[in-house]
Amino acid sequence: MTQLTAQWELVSKIKANNELVLKQLYQSNYKKIEGYILKNSGSMPQAKDIYQEAFITVWKNIKEGKFSPHNETALQGYLYQIARNKWTDELRSSRFKKTNSLESFHQFSENGEENTTSLFEEKEQKIALAEEAFQKIGDECKQLLSQFYFEKKSLRDIAALFNIGEASARNKKYRCIQQLKELVTNNE
Amino acid sequence: MNKDSKISQELLETVERYLNNTMDATEKLQFEKSLKKNNTLRQQVEDIKILLSGIETASLREKMEEFHHQMAQEIKEIPVRNITKNNRTNSRLFYAVAASAVILLGIFWMFNPKNTNEMLFNEYFSVDPGLPTTMGSTDEFSFYDGMVNYKRKEYDEALEKWRQLLRQKNNNDTLNYFIGVTYLAKGNTEEAIPFLEKVTTQKESMFLEDSYFYLGLSNLKNDNLEDAKENFRKSNTEEAQKILKALEKK
């Protein structure tokens, strides 16, 4: 397998939320980006925040098919570049505006994040609301929904995990989604 | 999000099939047609997508916290030595004490019978070279895919693929053997033993002798000397006989 096909495999595993691959990607790239942010007037908590936001952007863009690797380190480079862009934006934002000026050209367009269409922002806001609501539903719902939609476990495996029948796992999942939707609509 | 349009269980599951690409061609065509025509449906599907994105993103955030925490733990475990001019004499003393402690530990280690087992293990353990990865039939793809990982020492990836396969082929001796050997390569004898034992129940398996050999090594590593000897006796491999001789000399 060539390095490039390895990148494609990485992409397909990220799409499937493969925990091992996500963990590896997260941990092996953090130090480099932290180093960059610390060198450019950032703090450690800021480095962590920016990195995690960049990681989510990369993950989302991969899921939406907006990223295709063109060389053997494309993905790592992409993550680094997006984190840099985000940090540059942070520095340009109100808090830093007066004191800092930095070289700031963006090599990668983030597809929508850069040329912000209001539609895109609106969607992001809605997703943020859903995230917020997710934090408020019961632990059991959180677990179940996370296992099904993030970890992509089968209902059968989830049923075994919760020690219930497959049919009740299926119903429970539906009720949890209803609960989540209700919370979102009440907050809107 | 629309308060009044209730999402039915059926709709939720239809959208799941649509997003996972598990619809057959006719259903997909039908569904996309109704999406075009029906505004309410389109809105409902959008709502569901947003809910699912929220769940996934929140879950990823939780995972990232875990990853971050683990990373921070690992960094903490690396001892940090901070020598400045002021405490150089202290640190010299510290190193002298540390060095003699290391020597003492070493002497203790050599005379401890447990560690001769460990030494023998290290001397005789080498990872099974694996099977040639020529693709045969397509249903064996994920087995050989795992074998590629195994040969690259990406043991966790190999285990993930093989353990998934094992669910369908619980008794397959090849799978059980390589899962066992992979755990052993990771140093995890507790996990390795049950898989290797399973192979040894199949007396006509081509992995029978090798399984006994690696089972013996696992038991040796766990200091179960008698079990280890028993295993080596049952394996006719050259290595097993050599290690058996070494053990019986003791």
Side-chain angles (χ1 to χ4, degrees):
Chain A
M1 195 163 34
T2 70
Q3 288 295 307
L4 193 57
T5 41
Q7 282 268 324
W8 276 107
E9 206 176 309
L10 216 59
V11 164
S12 81
K13 283 186 172 167
I14 291 168
K15 274 189 186 160
N17 296 334
N18 179 304
E19 180 163 345
L20 227 71
V21 169
L22 287 173
K23 179 170 148 184
Q24 229 265 327
L25 183 71
Y26 184 97
Q27 297 186 336
S28 61
N29 291 287
Y30 180 69
K31 278 287 145 196
K32 193 177 165 201
I33 288 160
E34 186 193 57
Y36 173 79
I37 291 174
L38 292 182
K39 246 191 285 166
N40 289 284
S41 33
S43 66
M44 271 171 82
Q46 281 171 326
K48 184 182 162 193
D49 272 1
I50 293 286
Y51 183 65
Q52 295 198 340
E53 287 312 312
F55 198 86
I56 286 181
T57 303
V58 168
W59 171 77
K60 273 191 182 154
N61 287 352
I62 284 177
K63 277 188 179 292
E64 286 165 24
K66 286 179 187 166
F67 167 79
S68 17
H70 49 80
N71 65 43
E72 65 277 10
T73 56
L75 187 59
Q76 289 78 354
Y78 186 57
L79 178 58
Y80 183 65
Q81 202 52 51
I82 285 182
R84 269 182 66 152
N85 291 356
K86 282 192 189 291
W87 182 239
T88 308
D89 288 346
E90 176 75 15
L91 288 176
R92 276 211 238 118
S93 73
S94 53
R95 264 188 302 150
F96 281 88
K97 224 172 200 165
K98 289 164 201 154
T99 47
N100 287 288
S101 72
L102 263 193
E103 36 91 45
S104 55
F105 52 91
H106 293 179
Q107 287 180 10
F108 282 99
S109 127
E110 285 178 37
N111 277 323
E113 277 236 331
E114 288 306 305
N115 319 315
T116 8
T117 56
S118 61
L119 218 70
F120 177 82
E121 256 183 11
E122 208 184 297
K123 198 181 157 202
E124 288 295 291
Q125 270 167 14
K126 281 184 183 162
I127 293 174
L129 274 176
E131 271 193 65
E132 218 176 282
F134 179 74
Q135 299 302 339
K136 287 183 195 150
I137 57 173
D139 258 356
E140 216 178 27
C141 271
K142 264 175 83 174
Q143 282 246 347
L144 194 148
L145 294 179
S146 190
Q147 299 270 351
F148 188 78
Y149 293 107
F150 181 77
E151 300 197 9
K152 317 277 181 206
K153 288 213 173 96
S154 69
L155 275 180
R156 202 165 145 200
D157 288 349
I158 292 172
L161 214 66
F162 283 79
N163 216 354
I164 51 178
E166 206 175 319
S168 34
R170 181 174 158 235
N171 291 331
K172 208 176 197 107
K173 172 174 69 89
Y174 173 60
R175 277 198 304 275
C176 292
I177 285 285
Q178 274 182 314
Q179 242 186 68
L180 187 67
K181 183 173 180 264
E182 216 161 287
L183 267 170
V184 175
T185 38
N186 288 343
N187 280 347
E188 254 173 354
Chain B
M1 216 164 271
N2 196 335
K3 216 170 201 165
D4 308 315
S5 71
K6 259 198 149 221
I7 297 167
S8 70
Q9 183 159 13
E10 198 198 336
L11 178 65
L12 175 67
E13 284 165 5
T14 308
V15 174
E16 281 168 9
R17 279 200 302 281
Y18 182 64
L19 296 176
N20 292 338
N21 240 333
T22 48
M23 281 184 169
D24 61 45
T26 356
E27 193 188 8
K28 196 174 168 187
L29 208 70
Q30 201 70 43
F31 186 71
E32 280 172 346
K33 232 189 225 166
S34 5
L35 263 184
K36 259 186 208 146
K37 275 191 295 193
N38 187 336
N39 284 338
T40 327
L41 178 68
R42 206 162 50 232
Q43 183 57 45
Q44 285 174 320
V45 171
E46 264 322 294
D47 286 355
I48 293 175
K49 274 189 184 169
I50 281 167
L51 291 177
L52 302 193
S53 281
I55 296 168
E56 279 197 71
T57 315
S59 305
L60 179 65
R61 280 188 205 278
E62 271 172 30
K63 282 276 176 262
M64 287 196 300
E65 284 305 318
E66 265 175 49
F67 301 158
H68 206 92
H69 185 72
Q70 287 164 358
M71 204 170 52
Q73 284 301 94
E74 275 158 31
I75 291 166
K76 265 186 217 150
E77 278 158 20
I78 301 166
V80 182
R81 270 189 245 124
N82 203 352
I83 308 166
T84 59
K85 263 188 179 166
N86 296 334
N87 63 11
R88 184 160 288 170
T89 42
N90 280 344
S91 63
R92 214 175 266 160
L93 181 69
F94 170 79
Y95 284 119
V97 173
S100 35
V102 168
I103 293 166
L104 275 174
L105 263 176
I107 292 169
F108 175 72
W109 189 82
M110 283 200 296
F111 286 99
N112 186 340
K114 278 194 172 183
N115 292 309
T116 48
N117 293 343
E118 183 92 30
M119 274 159 76
L120 272 175
F121 175 86
N122 289 334
E123 191 182 335
Y124 283 91
F125 178 70
S126 62
V127 180
D128 186 296
L131 298 178
T133 47
T134 43
M135 300 293 166
S137 53
T138 43
D139 62 310
E140 287 175 331
F141 175 78
S142 54
F143 174 73
Y144 285 109
D145 195 25
M147 188 55 78
V148 171
N149 291 124
Y150 172 85
K151 288 185 171 178
R152 287 203 198 138
K153 299 194 165 54
E154 295 160 358
Y155 296 132
D156 291 325
E157 279 90 344
L159 281 173
E160 198 187 300
K161 285 169 194 163
W162 288 341
R163 294 210 60 160
Q164 202 142 18
L165 263 185
L166 196 70
R167 279 191 213 153
Q168 302 147 32
K169 301 179 172 180
N170 200 7
N171 286 318
N172 183 293
D173 59 330
T174 313
L175 264 177
N176 277 291
Y177 172 75
F178 278 105
I179 290 174
V181 168
T182 309
Y183 275 119
L184 195 57
K186 280 168 56 97
N188 189 341
T189 49
E190 296 304 317
E191 290 277 1
I193 289 172
F195 290 103
L196 294 170
E197 272 176 348
K198 186 143 197 182
V199 185
T200 62
T201 60
Q202 300 180 33
K203 298 300 171 204
E204 62 294 337
S205 167
M206 64 180 283
F207 296 103
L208 183 66
E209 310 235 318
D210 287 326
S211 289
Y212 273 124
F213 174 66
Y214 281 115
L215 204 51
L217 282 175
S218 307
N219 278 317
L220 180 69
K221 197 165 188 228
N222 287 352
D223 301 314
N224 295 327
L225 219 51
E226 288 315 308
D227 289 344
K229 282 186 199 165
E230 185 67 31
N231 297 144
F232 290 131
R233 266 181 221 118
K234 286 185 181 155
S235 171
N236 277 325
T237 60
E238 208 179 305
E239 300 295 313
Q241 297 314 310
K242 267 195 229 164
I243 197 167
L244 194 58
K245 256 184 212 157
L247 281 174
E248 275 165 352
K249 252 189 254 165
K250 280 180 25 172

